[in-house]
Amino acid sequence: MASDFRKTPVRVSCFECPLRQKKHFRPFSADELNFVSHFKRGELNADAGSTVIVEGSHSAHLYTLLEGWAFRYKILEDGRRQILNYVVPGDMVGLQGAVMAEMQHSVEALTPVTLCVFERKRLFQLFEKHSGLAFDLTWLAAREESILDEHLLSVGRRTATERAAYLLAFLFERGRNAGLLDEERRHVPVTQMHVADTLGLSIVHTNKTLRKLSERGLIQWLDRGCEVLDPEGLQNVANWNPGEPKVRPLI
Amino acid sequence: MASDFRKTPVRVSCFECPLRQKKHFRPFSADELNFVSHFKRGELNADAGSTVIVEGSHSAHLYTLLEGWAFRYKILEDGRRQILNYVVPGDMVGLQGAVMAEMQHSVEALTPVTLCVFERKRLFQLFEKHSGLAFDLTWLAAREESILDEHLLSVGRRTATERAAYLLAFLFERGRNAGLLDEERRHVPVTQMHVADTLGLSIVHTNKTLRKLSERGLIQWLDRGCEVLDPEGLQNVANWNPGEPKVRPLI
DNA sequence: CGGACGGTTGATCTCATTCAACCTACGTGG
DNA sequence: CCACGTAGGTTGAATGAGATCAACCGTCCG
């Protein structure tokens, strides 16, 4: 599983970072850009299905997803799995391991992914010399927190149909903001197993619930993934709205 | 609801902060202590049951809980409520509102509480001049995240009994570390309604589940609260362990 | 003294799990 | 080239965990 890694030296320079160009991300100052380009130590490539970070590990690195889809999850001893959140380009993973002792969750790639690798040791330099970036880091952590809040509300209090609608609307929104989805590419690369493990449902019931959403014309299920036909319809079913897409930081 | 506030000028000086003395919190440097004592603009007192922060508000403040128990929650339009996490002394609330636009959840007092009030505007000074405290802020955010991860695992994948055991073990642990509980005072001040809304269960089923835990001698339910008799027993039922209690930052 | 709040219990019902097939697409090795 | 295994998806039937409904009790409080 965690075998197909190619850890290469920096390939995409931060100066030409494809993410930075997108209007969804806040621009760096020249100074910050310079720092980040030194902070970045390399890139990590991993195939779909490979485990990028293992729960319990003490990694010397933290990462920003540069390309592809991934997800964070936890498992109980007997194998029950809960997917905690999804990772799209611009999201940071491994911060927990960096500021606390060890990782409390694992991360797995949904598609082939590329991650920027940063050295944990240098994190304190970021805090010391670049308060703007430090603030951004906190911003990202606060945002992850508010996403988890919404997921918790969903799993705890929404019905199966509402949950499924919420999740797909959420994934569509995130994918769109990260530039992974647009009018042509509307394909969210998850299996029904992923949906089940995110929503806290069995796979059979997930299947039946998704089928209902299909029949209502809100989504279309394809091979290993889902096409969101009516994002707003899903939002209505879930009684959720994503709020204005804000410019977000990137490290 | 949000009526019984007494916002007073600083009463407890940070120099004599009762929390700082406890060995669970990391000590401040003289410089940091000085900054924080200026950062703090006052105290907020609220009665049990009062709403301290309302979802959707744009508060000019952020807070650290100095005394008492509180909780964060979200509600759906039709009234379904999900409790997201509990707040104990030393925990910060309102950071979301400070770094992002507005609060995405509400906060309510479980007992009479005292909060230290900080001015949001000054937050950037903290990042600029006190990287150690900025790091601590990130540490706190990362920790909140890992707690939410565990809650999500619980609500999504644990059985009702496991969930209840986890929650009570968790609350006991947090209360103990924050100095709210000890050999004499073992009373966790929640109603069964709070437990239900945390676990995503109905109140009836929560009652029956808690009863089973009582019968097994793990807890004892009292008026408006619960006494944890066997924390380790609960941890075993839930298949959860809290890990080494680490020294934590405080702002 | 009435009402609100918190807790308790039994009966019934339903949403979701589990079990058990079965189907298709895909990849691998004989 | 076919045979087989695996991954993902689908469907019906049986079962069960938890929700809902409906009482009822004690305590506190205005």
Side-chain angles (χ1 to χ4, degrees), chain A residues 72 74 80-82 84 96 99 127 131 138-139 142 146 148-150 156-158 162 196-197 200-201, chain B residues 72 74 76 80-82 84 96 99 127 131 138-139 142 146 148-150 156-157 162 196-197 200-201:
Chain A
R72 307 196 296 115
K74 283 174 91 88
R80 282 175 284 176
R81 178 175 77 165
Q82 177 67 38
L84 306 165
Q96 249 179 47
V99 298
F127 276 94
S131 56
T138 308
W139 192 99
S146 84
L148 290 172
D149 286 352
E150 190 72 40
R157 289 303 185 201
R158 281 194 244 250
E162 290 169 342
D197 284 350
L201 298 172
Chain B
R72 305 194 300 114
K74 280 172 95 85
L76 291 169
R80 283 174 285 174
R81 179 175 75 166
Q82 177 66 39
L84 305 165
Q96 248 180 49
V99 299
F127 276 92
S131 56
T138 308
W139 192 100
S146 85
L148 290 172
D149 285 353
E150 190 72 41
R157 288 302 185 204
E162 289 169 343
D197 283 349
L201 298 172

Side-chain angles (χ1 to χ4, degrees), chain B residues 119-154:
Chain B
E119 227 167 315
R120 177 180 167 169
K121 274 191 278 184
R122 291 203 175 183
L123 193 59
F124 85 104
Q125 283 178 25
L126 182 150
F127 276 92
E128 273 188 333
K129 308 229 166 93
H130 295 274
S131 56
L133 296 175
F135 187 86
D136 287 349
L137 216 59
T138 308
W139 192 100
L140 287 171
R143 182 158 154 292
E144 180 76 13
E145 189 184 310
S146 85
I147 291 175
L148 290 172
D149 285 353
E150 190 72 41
H151 286 188
L152 204 44
L153 172 63
S154 208

